[in-house]
Amino acid sequence: MAHQGQDAVQNPPTEDTAAASIRSQDEPIIQRPLEAFDVACLIINKMIGSGIFIQPSAVLLLTGSKVGALFIWVYTNRQSIYVYLEYGLAWPFSGGEYVYIKKIFPRPALVFASSFAWFFVAFSSSTGNALIFARYICMTNIASPNEWLQKFIACWILVGISIIHYRTVNIGITANAFLAAYKLLLLLILIAAGLFGGLPRESRHKGIQGNNDWRVEDSGNSPVNITLAIFLVIYAYQGWENANYITSEIAGNTEQKKRNLKVGALGAVTVVSALYIGFNFVLAFGPGDETAAKQAVYACIALSAFGNLVGVIFTNARVKREIARDQLVPAYSFFVKSSDYGRNRDGFGTPIGGLILHGLISCILVAATPFSGSSLDGLTFIYNLYTYGHSVLRIALGIGLFYLRRRMNENETAAVDIPDEAYDVPWNYKLLTKKKLRYLLAVFLIATNTFLVILPVVPSTTNPDGSKRLIPFWLLPTTILPVYVVGGLAAIMVLLIAPRMYFQTSLGTSRNEFVPYNARRWVIVYPEVGDVLGSLCRRDIGQFFEDTKTRLWYGGEATEARRLKEEMLLQPVAAEGGDHGAQQPATKHGDVIPVDGSER
């Protein structure tokens, strides 16, 4: 013992050996990279949730036509996947739409990014599928559900899956794959059952029956009801964007990531679309059979909703951590936290702050969702809040498609990029290479989603069967649009009160000075909580307005990239005899004039 103690004194453990000892005792879990198959499974799990099982009858009722309902399911299936893929191939970073909006609309600074961030945090939840899981897991209570029992189960399943993604992330990824395979098999079985007369459903639905009965006279349908049907179908298809949220965690270098994203996304959407159309065909035109074991189907629906929760919680928590990294939500310093488990390719562990934020918002919405007996109106409203907000977003993405190449070429810094972070210069579209097709798709996306955004303001208080609609359709725009506005105003408030902010970007040609494209962002130095008013009062009023104007219209990444390229042109080139030029950059790269006059 004395000898061991003497050795310990003479040879104290170094910091590196101590760290190695700690790691050997509690080796952190490393998240395995996501392959194309994992990408496909993430998309499948989000697309095939509960919507495909509970929405077809509602779509049929709202359209009043079997052929019309089937047309909506066919027409809506692939509108946005190519646009999302084009953005994902341009910016293969975690964050998805949040990153795209932030980069495509840099002016006014932070406003568009914050606007979408507030919507995403508030309404991109797992509420709907958590409630569907709870509803169908209680198989004996479908007709007269116990409201608070279902909400209790919904909240606990959210907590349980969040814990899995926090502590055992690789188990969550594996479960995601098994559940996706199960869902595909389930839909195939249900389609086969429908073709052979074994699918449990009503053979007659509100007067619509038979192959030749394709239209119902005086059904009471209206453009609002058709729009609501389209919303329900869009929600059922929603999910093609799920892999875009975690692109940086896909296996391989930049080009391999893009290939895995493209293969996984297109494969998943193609397979799910075909199954959806087949399922709705047999629902509309196949023979009905009321003797099938409905409880078995209920259990399948519950498990399908569970799979959706596994995929969505995994990805959405990472987007919300990305939003917190940009300091655009209250308590961002808490929600940005990562654990020591499941470190990914970006060096981050599991997003404990993002998981808490996602679970907290989802549970609040679960508690707030109105119940009315066996009616699904409250649940449908929760679905449609997310779908309506995404229709607003898709208008912006359609507009941005015209400017994507310009933004990519403005933001490139090829002169200082390290090899594994560079991209082709000049950049061009990877998927929508034909200009006419690209413009046609962009205009189509803008037009259809503008229609979906505007039409809910048209008064409509009754369903096609004459029953009163429990939740007015106009509540969608009056709920979602103010959240977008408040998010934008919050960004303007940040620009006003922050004593200092600058854009973080590469500073030079060495590896130590390089900042990856996905880490280039505004850095905000907030005043102390109790000193906000004092900080504002200490400023010169003229300088305050000048600085605010500069911040609002500063180009961010594009301006900094241009400055860096100009500085590279001034860098001296070593002559053969070691003689160097004397020109030096005149400004410090990445700075935005701080209002307190301090240096970065």
Side-chain angles (χ1 to χ4, degrees):
M1 290 292 293
H3 181 69
Q4 290 177 351
Q6 186 179 12
D7 286 345
V9 173
Q10 291 176 350
N11 301 292
T14 63
E15 186 177 341
D16 289 341
T17 57
S21 175
I22 293 172
R23 285 196 301 270
S24 66
Q25 296 172 19
D26 187 18
E27 187 72 26
I29 299 170
I30 304 299
Q31 178 187 313
R32 67 175 179 84
L34 304 175
E35 303 291 344
F37 177 74
D38 299 304
V39 169
C41 290
L42 282 171
I43 293 172
I44 290 168
N45 260 326
K46 185 169 183 180
M47 289 184 74
I48 307 177
S50 57
I52 184 58
F53 302 108
I54 65 175
Q55 307 295 19
S57 61
V59 173
L60 184 59
L61 173 62
L62 288 164
T63 57
S65 163
K66 288 184 174 182
V67 173
L70 189 60
F71 175 78
I72 292 176
W73 284 99
V74 174
Y75 162 82
T76 314
N77 66 353
R78 295 171 74 102
Q79 284 185 20
S80 301
I81 179 62
Y82 296 108
V83 175
Y84 272 80
L85 267 180
E86 194 66 77
Y87 278 105
L89 296 176
W91 291 305
F93 316 136
S94 291
E97 301 128 333
Y98 173 67
V99 172
Y100 312 151
I101 290 295
K102 181 171 65 172
K103 288 182 176 289
I104 208 76
F105 299 109
R107 300 184 182 92
L110 301 178
V111 171
F112 286 95
S114 179
S115 183
F116 173 73
W118 280 60
F119 158 74
F120 191 87
V121 168
F123 296 109
S124 184
S125 71
S126 296
T127 303
N129 277 284
L131 285 169
I132 287 294
F133 172 83
R135 182 185 184 90
Y136 284 93
I137 206 68
C138 302
M139 290 181 270
T140 59
N141 241 4
I142 299 296
S144 55
N146 183 317
E147 175 181 352
W148 289 106
L149 174 62
Q150 288 192 19
K151 290 183 176 182
F152 177 80
I153 295 173
C155 288
W156 274 108
I157 195 65
L158 288 168
V159 172
I161 294 174
S162 297
I163 291 173
I164 291 173
H165 284 316
Y166 158 64
R167 186 62 179 85
T168 55
V169 63
N170 287 329
I171 292 178
I173 294 173
T174 302
N176 175 70
F178 277 107
L179 288 166
Y182 153 78
K183 291 181 181 186
L184 295 179
L185 181 61
L186 172 62
L187 276 178
L188 283 171
I189 291 173
L190 290 177
I191 291 171
L195 291 173
F196 293 100
L199 192 63
R201 59 180 176 81
E202 293 183 4
S203 58
R204 177 182 178 87
H205 190 87
K206 301 295 181 182
I208 306 173
Q209 59 179 342
N211 291 351
N212 296 322
D213 185 8
W214 60 272
R215 184 167 59 90
V216 179
E217 299 293 343
D218 301 321
S219 63
N221 289 326
S222 68
V224 173
N225 290 326
I226 300 298
T227 304
L228 182 55
I230 294 172
F231 272 139
L232 295 178
V233 173
I234 290 175
Y235 182 83
Y237 273 116
Q238 197 89 34
W240 53 72
E241 77 284 1
N242 208 33
N244 291 57
Y245 293 160
I246 42 80
T247 311
S248 64
E249 299 181 26
I250 297 175
N253 58 30
T254 301
E255 291 306 314
Q256 290 169 333
K257 286 181 185 180
K258 293 177 181 179
R259 184 166 58 251
N260 286 334
L261 175 65
K262 184 177 177 180
V263 171
L266 287 177
V269 171
T270 300
V271 170
V272 174
S273 297
L275 291 174
Y276 273 19
I277 293 169
F279 184 68
N280 278 275
F281 179 82
V282 298
L283 279 177
F285 299 106
D289 184 0
E290 290 299 309
T291 64
K294 285 189 175 182
Q295 288 191 351
V297 175
Y298 292 160
C300 290
I301 294 174
L303 193 54
S304 182
F306 179 83
N308 176 279
L309 295 174
V310 170
V312 170
I313 292 173
F314 177 83
T315 56
N316 278 24
R318 283 155 172 78
V319 179
K320 289 169 183 177
R321 175 176 62 186
E322 189 69 20
I323 291 170
R325 288 180 68 195
D326 281 347
Q327 306 167 273
L328 294 179
V329 292
Y332 65 85
S333 59
F334 175 79
F335 294 125
V336 78
K337 289 182 178 179
S338 300
S339 75
D340 292 330
Y341 305 111
R343 291 196 180 277
N344 60 30
R345 296 167 63 87
D346 284 344
F348 296 108
T350 54
I352 183 170
L355 288 167
I356 291 173
L357 179 58
H358 182 80
L360 179 64
I361 295 296
S362 296
C363 287
I364 291 172
L365 290 177
V366 164
T369 300
F371 269 54
S372 179
S374 60
S375 171
L376 291 176
D377 278 17
L379 196 55
T380 299
F381 180 69
I382 294 294
Y383 287 151
N384 287 337
L385 284 174
Y386 178 72
T387 308
Y388 184 88
H390 256 77
S391 293
V392 176
L393 169 71
R394 283 191 288 269
I395 294 172
L397 292 180
I399 295 170
L401 197 59
F402 292 106
Y403 299 97
L404 180 55
R405 176 165 55 190
R406 176 180 169 184
R407 290 286 181 262
M408 289 293 290
N409 290 323
E410 284 178 343
N411 294 348
E412 63 87 8
T413 53
V416 299
D417 288 348
I418 57 179
D420 54 342
E421 292 283 351
Y423 61 82
D424 296 336
V425 179
W427 184 89
N428 207 342
Y429 294 89
K430 305 299 181 185
L431 200 64
L432 303 172
T433 54
K434 294 184 179 180
K435 186 175 181 180
K436 289 183 179 179
L437 176 62
R438 185 168 66 248
Y439 282 10
L440 179 64
L441 182 58
V443 170
F444 181 76
L445 193 67
I446 294 167
T448 53
N449 284 282
T450 300
F451 168 80
L452 293 175
V453 168
I454 292 175
L455 207 61
V457 303
V458 176
S460 176
T461 58
T462 57
N463 291 310
D465 61 355
S467 62
K468 185 175 178 59
R469 185 168 288 139
L470 299 179
I471 301 177
F473 206 25
W474 53 261
L475 278 178
L476 291 177
T478 56
T479 302
I480 294 297
L481 296 182
V483 173
Y484 271 110
V485 172
V486 168
L489 293 176
I492 294 175
M493 181 64 67
V494 168
L495 296 174
L496 292 173
I497 69 171
R500 183 166 165 262
M501 57 186 291
Y502 59 89
F503 194 87
Q504 175 179 278
T505 188
S506 290
L507 301 175
T509 57
S510 72
R511 183 174 285 270
N512 290 337
E513 294 177 311
F514 178 76
V515 174
Y517 285 95
N518 63 330
R520 299 178 185 183
R521 65 184 75 233
W522 283 101
V523 177
I524 305 164
V525 180
Y526 284 99
E528 295 294 331
V529 176
D531 191 43
V532 174
L533 186 59
S535 176
L536 289 171
C537 292
R538 286 192 295 270
R539 301 183 191 174
D540 175 75
I541 189 68
Q543 189 63 43
F544 170 78
F545 284 112
E546 184 62 31
D547 288 333
T548 301
K549 179 182 176 182
T550 300
R551 290 174 175 185
L552 272 172
W553 302 109
Y554 195 77
E557 186 169 0
T559 301
E560 293 301 324
R562 184 173 65 250
R563 289 176 59 182
L564 180 59
K565 285 182 277 192
E566 290 172 353
E567 289 175 8
M568 290 303 101
L569 293 176
L570 297 177
Q571 291 292 328
V573 179
E576 206 169 309
D579 188 20
H580 292 74
Q583 285 186 302
Q584 297 294 331
T587 58
K588 195 172 184 181
H589 191 66
D591 241 347
V592 176
I593 306 167
V595 297
D596 60 358
S598 64
E599 290 295 327
R600 178 178 168 186

